[in-house]
Amino acid sequence: MFLYELRHRGTRHRPVVPPSRLAARAGDAALRGGDDRPYLRPRLAAALPRRATLPARRQPLAVARRRAGRAGRARPLDSLFVLRSAMRLSKSLIPTLKETPAEAQIVSHRLMLRAGMVRQMASGIYAWLPLGQRVLANIARIVREEQDAAGAEEVLMPTIQSADLWRESGRYDAYGKEMLRITDRHERELLYGPTNEEMITAIMRDAVKSYRELPQIPYHIQWKFRDELRPRFGVLRGREFLMKDAYSFDLDRAGAVVSYKKMMLAYMRTFQRLGITAIPMRADTGQIGGDLSHEFHVLAPTGESGVFYDAAFEAGDALAATDIEQFYAQMTGIYAATDEKHDLAAWNNVPPERRREGRGIEVGQIFYFGTKYSQAMDFAVTGPDGRRIHPEMGSYGIGVSRLAGAIIEARHDEAGIIWPDAVAPFRAVILNLRQGDAATDPLCEQLYAALGREALYDDREERAGVKFAEADLLGHPWQIIIGPRGAAQGQVELKRRATGERFELPVAEALVRVRG
RNA sequence: CGGAGCGUAGCUCAGCCUGGUAGAGCGCCAGCUUUGGGAGCUGGAUGCCGGAGGUUCGAAUCCUCUCGCUCCGACCA
């Protein structure tokens, strides 16, 4: 503890507090009315001579200890302990905001800033703070699991690419100003990748020679950059964004369509696991090229596009699907369209009671585009008859960082974010309503030790109201509320953020509930 | 890229029109009180007024240039 604090906090520009005064102030704090912790005094006496040699401190030890909610139970291994379980709110980089920064217009952007998830570093470019980083990691984890399950294989390609690669496909000039172009010290032309068709095709061209090595679906989760004319909506339309992109290589069109269908199922499973409703819709192929494409829209009242769909989608369960062909037929057989592609004739065939109109945020898109890149870049494998075959390709994107915003758009209320369990940065927050209390402190520590990284411990010296408000803002699925009255009897209150339900439970039962 | 607007304390903003000591609320720090839904009182710290140039005895304020950010439109995982 001492080393840790010395290293991290001891260099602040503060006047040195004379040892005598420090002792007096610390003593006062320990003896203050209502403080029922006599053990503080001997501990302080032991600690003070060491402390007096330290550089300027921000506060007397007793106060520091009270704030940190440590109840004076310092142990020799404290420094390690504190470093490992860093998610005590008092020691975390979670800079919440009471007021909304002026630049944020859309609800997810406001909430992400207010919850301390992200900070804008430049137009459309964000730093992800601990809470945001955890959400990103959780989304990426689920995306990864579903890609792997679909038979895709993870790789990691660089963010910086050579212009020459893009000249091969002809897209270096075609891509326009949205591509961020870079020149290195040797005047070589580089670019920050907006997508990776060219690069993955070059890799495959180099590595894959026989038809027996296909099909393959490499994917990676990597930062992309598209120099949008007008970044907006926070991470929903940033210039730099984290994307999962997969690329399928098959021998023929039939195989490519199978890959396409697999990916559609993987996408629907992914979105369902993320706790959101996403609907696949026929789409244009745009820059990528090709003739088969679907966009996936998350339903959210603040979405950018208007969407029309058949309520049959709401009943679908991708996690229960066993037959890919059947699932694909079902998905593509139900009416769904963005306002741009809305077809009134087809819409009128949907039974009126099943017609749904809403808003959607595009969080993914899949393409089949045949041999566009394998031809242009001459990636061919030797077929069974010795002839060269240009593989049939598809590409499949999921906006990982955009999903973080989209999930909030879909799941929030006036008080803040309502995280689905799967993506929440923490399953639970432990609210110590009376920091420094003889009953609440040990109980909170016990719960915190039991839950480990799954829990955030609000150990700050704040009023109950502040803790409640921030817990709601941050949106943890569970709030474990520990007040002096219940704590004395070993009871805690459990609040479910999504529903507002509250339960009075013994500690052990609460743990079971939270762990699900 | 076209149109509009905004840059003043960590955040939200006033002050600018009409030039003359840089402000409020919240947050932060210290103390006391309070303690189950963003408390109260007292004291304190914090600013290259985005940057550069100009006008003037004097510029946050007027003029010019510039950088950044936001909004509307076209574009987009």
Side-chain angles (χ1 to χ4, degrees):
Chain A
M1 190 69 193
F2 293 128
L3 285 176
Y4 175 78
E5 291 207 337
L6 175 60
R7 196 165 300 144
H8 289 84
R9 302 201 141 150
T11 53
R12 304 230 172 175
H13 306 292
R14 301 257 163 191
V16 176
V17 180
S20 57
R21 210 176 136 213
L22 182 63
R25 282 160 68 183
D28 285 351
L31 292 170
R32 232 186 351 256
D35 192 86
D36 51 1
R37 294 167 296 152
Y39 46 76
L40 267 181
R41 299 206 67 190
R43 289 218 61 85
L44 279 166
L48 279 169
R50 292 173 64 188
R51 304 200 37 75
T53 65
L54 296 177
R57 294 289 324 227
R58 54 190 306 158
Q59 59 208 349
L61 180 65
V63 175
R65 190 155 279 164
R66 246 170 29 113
R67 276 174 194 288
R70 307 188 53 74
R73 294 182 299 119
R75 277 155 293 188
L77 283 177
D78 259 5
S79 57
L80 288 176
F81 184 76
V82 169
L83 282 170
R84 256 209 338 250
S85 51
M87 285 308 186
R88 289 170 190 270
L89 204 34
S90 67
K91 303 254 187 255
S92 300
L93 183 59
I94 303 179
T96 56
L97 265 23
K98 214 161 163 182
E99 288 175 280
T100 305
E103 76 265 18
Q105 302 295 319
I106 194 168
V107 63
S108 63
H109 193 195
R110 287 201 293 265
L111 288 174
M112 288 178 86
L113 289 169
R114 289 230 293 131
M117 288 177 64
V118 296
R119 282 290 164 95
Q120 182 170 334
M121 295 291 102
S123 178
I125 297 175
Y126 294 84
W128 295 74
L129 304 186
L131 226 48
Q133 160 62 15
R134 279 177 169 249
V135 169
L136 227 40
N138 286 341
I139 295 171
R141 191 192 72 245
I142 289 171
V143 167
R144 184 175 283 126
E145 286 170 4
E146 290 300 329
Q147 291 294 296
D148 292 347
E153 213 172 4
E154 187 169 13
V155 300
L156 183 58
M157 291 179 268
T159 56
I160 304 292
Q161 308 186 24
S162 156
D164 291 342
L165 260 185
W166 286 67
R167 291 206 172 90
E168 288 191 48
S169 69
R171 281 209 291 179
Y172 191 63
D173 297 319
Y175 215 95
K177 294 197 166 179
E178 210 170 273
M179 178 185 282
L180 179 65
R181 292 153 208 264
I182 305 167
T183 308
D184 71 10
R185 61 166 65 191
H186 303 293
E187 298 294 314
R188 282 188 292 244
E189 293 172 274
L190 301 170
L191 58 100
Y192 196 117
T195 177
N196 286 59
E197 279 83 8
E198 282 80 0
M199 183 173 281
I200 193 68
T201 304
I203 292 169
M204 297 299 279
R205 176 176 64 192
D206 188 54
V208 176
K209 302 295 180 188
S210 161
Y211 77 96
R212 287 187 300 230
E213 296 170 72
L214 296 185
Q216 290 205 28
I217 310 181
Y219 76 95
H220 75 337
I221 298 174
Q222 177 64 289
W223 292 93
K224 307 288 188 293
F225 196 95
R226 294 185 191 173
D227 199 0
E228 298 277 346
L229 279 178
R230 186 150 91 82
R232 61 185 128 169
F233 307 139
V235 301
L236 290 182
R237 183 173 309 297
R239 292 193 292 172
E240 188 185 44
F241 56 95
L242 188 60
M243 180 167 102
K244 186 284 301 181
D245 40 324
Y247 304 89
S248 66
F249 297 84
D250 283 273
L251 278 179
D252 51 26
R253 183 185 167 105
V257 170
V258 170
S259 292
Y260 186 91
K261 291 173 180 173
K262 275 189 192 169
M263 279 293 151
M264 178 172 285
L265 175 57
Y267 274 39
M268 293 306 285
R269 289 177 53 94
T270 301
F271 298 131
Q272 193 171 327
R273 285 184 61 193
L274 290 173
I276 47 184
T277 305
I279 295 179
M281 303 185 185
R282 283 293 296 222
D284 289 325
T285 52
Q287 282 280 8
I288 310 269
D291 59 4
L292 177 58
S293 180
H294 282 88
E295 288 176 354
F296 296 80
H297 284 259
V298 167
L299 296 177
T302 48
E304 279 188 75
S305 353
V307 296
F308 300 81
Y309 64 97
D310 185 327
F313 273 115
E314 292 164 358
D317 183 358
L319 298 179
T322 49
D323 185 316
I324 286 180
E325 290 296 336
Q326 190 191 332
F327 180 77
Y328 183 79
Q330 184 195 342
M331 285 296 109
T332 51
I334 306 174
Y335 184 82
T338 60
D339 41 14
E340 290 164 354
K341 301 201 109 189
H342 191 38
D343 178 350
L344 272 181
W347 182 238
N348 286 331
N349 288 334
V350 178
E353 72 278 7
R354 293 205 333 234
R355 288 179 200 162
R356 297 281 186 277
E357 293 183 37
R359 313 288 304 170
I361 301 168
E362 190 191 340
V363 291
Q365 188 167 9
I366 58 180
F367 303 87
Y368 160 73
F369 47 72
T371 58
K372 175 176 167 160
Y373 296 92
S374 54
Q375 288 275 6
M377 300 180 66
D378 196 24
F379 164 39
V381 295
T382 307
D385 55 1
R387 297 231 301 253
R388 283 161 49 84
I389 302 169
H390 287 104
E392 297 273 333
M393 294 175 56
S395 75
Y396 314 88
I398 290 182
V400 173
S401 51
R402 173 179 280 191
L403 268 168
I407 291 168
I408 295 172
E409 292 291 334
R411 312 243 330 197
H412 68 270
D413 62 16
E414 318 73 47
I417 302 168
I418 304 173
W419 288 116
D421 289 15
V423 293
F426 295 95
R427 282 189 73 77
V429 63
I430 300 163
L431 300 183
N432 189 344
L433 296 192
R434 179 94 50 100
Q435 202 68 42
D437 183 87
T440 62
D441 282 9
L443 195 52
C444 288
E445 290 291 343
Q446 182 196 332
L447 275 162
Y448 183 50
L451 289 167
R453 281 178 56 83
E454 287 300 296
L456 177 68
Y457 177 19
D458 190 344
D459 60 341
R460 297 170 304 167
E461 274 269 309
E462 289 287 356
R463 295 168 60 82
V466 173
K467 296 193 176 190
F468 287 134
E470 285 201 6
D472 287 346
L473 172 66
L474 267 48
H476 316 286
W478 295 99
Q479 295 174 13
I480 308 173
I481 300 163
I482 296 164
R485 288 193 291 277
Q489 281 112 51
Q491 292 276 117
V492 303
E493 183 179 333
L494 206 56
K495 178 182 162 188
R496 184 72 171 155
R497 176 68 174 90
T499 60
E501 294 169 280
R502 291 160 181 275
F503 315 91
E504 285 275 350
L505 299 169
V507 178
E509 262 180 65
L511 273 174
V512 171
R513 285 290 258 284
V514 167
R515 284 175 170 147

